[in-house]
Amino acid sequence: MSVAVELRHITKRFPGVIANKDVSIKVETGTVHALVGENGAGKSTVMKILYGMQRPDSGEILVNGKEVHFKNPNDAIDAGIGMVHQHFMLADNFTVLENIILGSEPKHGATIDFAAARKKIVEMAAQYGLEIDPDVLVEELGVGQRQRVEILKVLFRGANILIFDEPTAVLVPQEVDDLFKALEGLRAQGMAVIFISHKLDEVLRVADEVTVVRQGSTVAEVKSKDVTARQLAELMVGSELPKPSTLGHTRREEITLALKDVSIPAATGGRNLISNISFELHAGEVVGIAGVEGNGQAELVEAIMGLREYTGSIQFRGSSIDQLSVADRHDLGIGLIPEDRQRQALMMSSPLWENRILGHQRGKPIMRGFVIDKKATIESTRTIMQEFDVRAPGPDTLAAALSGGNQQKFIVGREMSKAPALLVASHPTRGVDVGAQGAIWDVLRKAREKGMAVVLISADLEELIGMSDRLLVMLRGAITAELDPAKTTPEQLGSAMTGAA
Ligand SMILES: Nc1ncnc2c1ncn2[C@@H]1O[C@H](COP(=O)(O)OP(=O)(O)O)[C@@H](O)[C@H]1O
Ligand SMILES: [Mg+2]
């Protein structure tokens, strides 16, 4: 086998960050090579360097054995490298054909030779299993098909080294299957495919070889048939995987939260959304709420937070909060990690320091009298970033620029900065990388030791069992079982959730 591309000892610094530190990757012809690592590990940066979008500070790039120095993507394209971007860069109001040839139009004299282009595209599409109608407008295509157009565009320019940066992030499972078939087709035709991902099950399905990067450096190169997903994950984070577990009991005498017969009637009549929910939660205790999604967990959270009207009563540290607004409850010390972080907890196009203010507009450190204390807010943002390991250049960074895991660590940190006596955590680690997941579990454990009470809602049964002192199962709006996590397996919990046990 021959080596299609080799990156040697690539280093790249940005102000305040070393994105790549001695990264080496060797990709053979006719293989799918995965590049894996946690968010922020430097995967996109090193691929942008290979594609001529960024210049390395040091290191070498060899294409087909020859050293290259790309000044821009055109140089890389000329060397046979193509990049399928994470965010598609197609012109919506042009046809598939026009998009594919844009920038590399085959000419016939001074005019564009559309017939030749169409013929070539149809042939390529058939050859690689990327069938598509060349005359349809791109705006009419779904995400999977747009990706296909991106791939064809790259192939049309003569690429034989293809870079895919997290191509599955935007796809539904059926589209993932189609993409993987296409990747296999490309491999069979002798292309070198570089596949960036942090979804390890996908990597093991499609890749021949895997390079693992951690904090900007290559830490391993392995054949995918020789490793398990867990081993890859441990290479990614650099230690044994954190396990969701709380040790011993930290439960105190004091009752932090008490619900009595809390119900929310359905707007349209019929069965209550939640029905006669009663439970008590002590300081230093975690109660896990298990249930198949849509069985009232979201409504329970809304009742506790004051986001919805309910009947029955809720007491917080011995006093009724039924008449209190959302903001009043928050001020009293009830914190929330909401389910949908991008919609409910962040202003994606604002800097972190402005996001620091969100939901915390009252009192210190944000407000000085009636004005926002910008200096103190920025300082507090910096503190949160340090304490909760939010990896981003600084408080001015836009929330949208952070990885999902770093966004979530920021949200958790912001909520914990008020030292709430009660934290309602709705799917706190859903969709975050294993490093961030472990960090968030750590935060919850430490706060529990200091007496914080936690209502934990999660679809991750191991997380529920590991982190909870007590489990309540919700089914059709009611609590149908109480289980001891120390004596419950995920299988048993799963069947309790469906009402089978
Ligand atoms: N243009 C840039 N300016 C400043 N910092 C950047 C830039 N691009 C990436 N970074 C930083 O470099 C690090 C690696 O980022 P990236 O290569 O995007 O990681 P990955 O793709 O593995 O998630 C991160 O800390 C990121 O914030
Ligand atoms: Mg990336």
Side-chain angles (χ1 to χ4, degrees):
M1 279 224 202
S2 64
V3 177
V5 76
E6 188 173 356
L7 294 138
R8 288 186 186 158
H9 312 297
I10 300 288
T11 293
K12 173 74 184 174
R13 292 183 184 81
F14 291 112
V17 193
I18 302 185
N20 292 151
K21 192 168 63 193
D22 200 14
V23 175
S24 296
I25 305 166
K26 193 163 153 185
V27 185
E28 299 195 342
T29 308
T31 64
V32 175
H33 193 107
L35 182 58
V36 306
E38 288 189 87
N39 286 312
K43 306 179 295 294
S44 294
T45 300
V46 74
M47 287 301 122
K48 284 179 190 159
I49 288 170
L50 175 58
Y51 191 55
M53 289 167 78
Q54 298 272 5
R55 304 283 289 278
D57 296 335
S58 59
E60 296 165 7
I61 305 172
L62 288 83
V63 175
N64 298 315
K66 280 217 296 282
E67 189 168 358
V68 291
H69 296 274
F70 298 147
K71 286 192 214 58
N72 51 49
N74 284 330
D75 289 351
I77 292 165
D78 288 343
I81 296 169
M83 177 117 146
V84 177
H85 293 277
Q86 208 164 358
H87 304 288
F88 302 139
M89 300 185 176
L90 300 173
D92 263 7
N93 47 349
F94 286 88
T95 66
V96 167
L97 178 111
E98 287 163 340
N99 266 283
I100 291 174
I101 67 176
L102 192 70
S104 51
E105 291 86 353
K107 293 280 171 56
H108 185 81
T111 57
I112 297 173
D113 190 346
F114 281 106
R118 175 177 324 235
K119 183 160 174 285
K120 187 170 162 193
I121 290 168
V122 170
E123 280 170 13
M124 275 179 358
Q127 185 180 4
Y128 298 108
L130 295 163
E131 271 82 9
I132 196 147
D133 176 356
D135 299 313
V136 71
L137 288 181
V138 160
E139 68 184 2
E140 286 165 29
L141 301 179
V143 174
Q145 297 220 301
R146 282 173 188 243
Q147 193 172 57
R148 221 169 244 213
V149 178
E150 286 269 3
I151 299 170
L152 285 168
K153 185 176 172 76
V154 162
L155 292 171
F156 189 83
R157 295 177 170 197
N160 46 40
I161 297 162
L162 283 86
I163 305 165
F164 290 81
D165 192 349
E166 309 225 7
T168 62
V170 290
L171 302 181
V172 300
Q174 176 57 46
E175 292 171 331
V176 172
D177 290 346
D178 290 345
L179 172 69
F180 285 3
K181 271 193 219 115
L183 295 187
E184 277 155 22
L186 294 169
R187 165 170 56 197
Q189 299 286 332
M191 306 268 169
V193 175
I194 303 174
F195 172 73
I196 302 182
S197 180
H198 58 258
K199 296 183 190 160
L200 301 176
D201 48 337
E202 289 183 350
V203 165
L204 293 180
R205 242 175 92 194
V206 74
D208 303 291
E209 265 153 19
V210 188
T211 295
V212 184
V213 289
R214 186 198 318 144
Q215 289 178 9
S217 305
T218 301
V219 292
E221 210 213 277
V222 290
K223 293 208 179 312
S224 62
K225 65 175 170 47
D226 296 337
V227 284
T228 64
R230 195 174 171 87
Q231 285 167 332
L232 276 184
E234 293 189 337
L235 286 168
M236 261 167 62
V237 299
S239 55
E240 280 190 31
L241 284 190
K243 293 197 182 69
S245 67
T246 51
L247 291 177
H249 284 280
T250 55
R251 176 181 148 140
R252 302 181 184 182
E253 213 31 61
E254 179 198 345
I255 294 172
T256 304
L257 179 74
L259 276 74
K260 184 121 187 55
D261 289 328
V262 173
S263 299
I264 300 177
T268 52
R271 180 169 59 72
N272 284 347
L273 297 174
I274 57 177
S275 259
N276 299 311
I277 304 271
S278 300
F279 66 86
E280 286 180 349
L281 176 62
H282 287 252
E285 187 186 26
V286 178
V287 67
I289 310 284
V292 176
E293 205 140 354
N295 275 281
Q297 303 93 313
E299 289 79 7
L300 173 64
V301 170
E302 290 172 348
I304 297 172
M305 300 313 300
L307 289 157
R308 253 210 216 235
E309 294 210 15
Y310 54 85
T311 61
S313 73
I314 302 181
Q315 292 201 336
F316 177 67
R317 302 177 114 176
S319 316
S320 164
I321 55 169
D322 297 329
Q323 305 306 320
L324 299 187
S325 68
V326 177
D328 288 338
R329 294 182 194 205
H330 198 241
D331 284 351
L332 264 189
I334 304 181
L336 173 67
I337 300 173
E339 182 166 349
D340 182 345
R341 61 179 167 261
Q342 300 213 339
R343 292 229 305 269
Q344 299 172 318
L346 291 173
M347 302 177 289
M348 297 304 278
S349 50
S350 300
L352 289 176
W353 74 266
E354 283 183 19
N355 273 284
R356 169 68 186 88
I357 302 169
L358 196 67
H360 296 250
Q361 290 92 338
R362 309 211 286 194
K364 289 197 166 178
I366 308 295
M367 302 302 287
R368 198 171 46 197
F370 291 101
V371 292
I372 289 177
D373 185 343
K374 182 169 169 186
K375 199 157 157 257
T377 304
I378 288 176
E379 212 31 64
S380 159
T381 307
R382 218 185 291 282
T383 307
I384 290 175
M385 292 174 71
Q386 273 161 12
E387 280 181 20
F388 295 88
D389 188 31
V390 179
R391 293 183 199 168
D396 282 326
T397 307
L398 301 185
L402 270 62
S403 68
N406 282 306
Q407 288 172 357
Q408 189 72 345
K409 285 189 282 185
F410 176 78
I411 292 165
V412 170
R414 182 179 60 192
E415 219 45 25
M416 299 307 289
S417 70
K418 275 199 97 166
L422 169 68
L423 182 71
V424 178
S426 201
H427 304 280
T429 69
R430 178 151 71 188
V432 310
D433 59 88
V434 288
Q437 186 175 48
I440 291 167
W441 287 335
D442 236 19
V443 170
L444 297 182
R445 267 192 288 266
K446 286 194 184 121
R448 165 183 174 268
E449 265 168 41
K450 289 192 192 139
M452 184 178 75
V454 181
V455 177
L456 173 65
I457 288 127
S458 178
D460 177 342
L461 303 188
E462 285 183 30
E463 176 175 79
L464 273 178
I465 290 171
M467 295 298 294
S468 304
D469 295 296
R470 202 147 53 92
L471 290 168
L472 301 176
V473 179
M474 279 187 85
L475 186 61
R476 291 191 276 283
I479 291 176
T480 51
E482 173 161 354
L483 300 168
D484 177 355
K487 296 177 186 142
T488 306
T489 65
E491 292 72 27
Q492 288 165 337
L493 183 55
S495 43
M497 283 162 52
T498 61

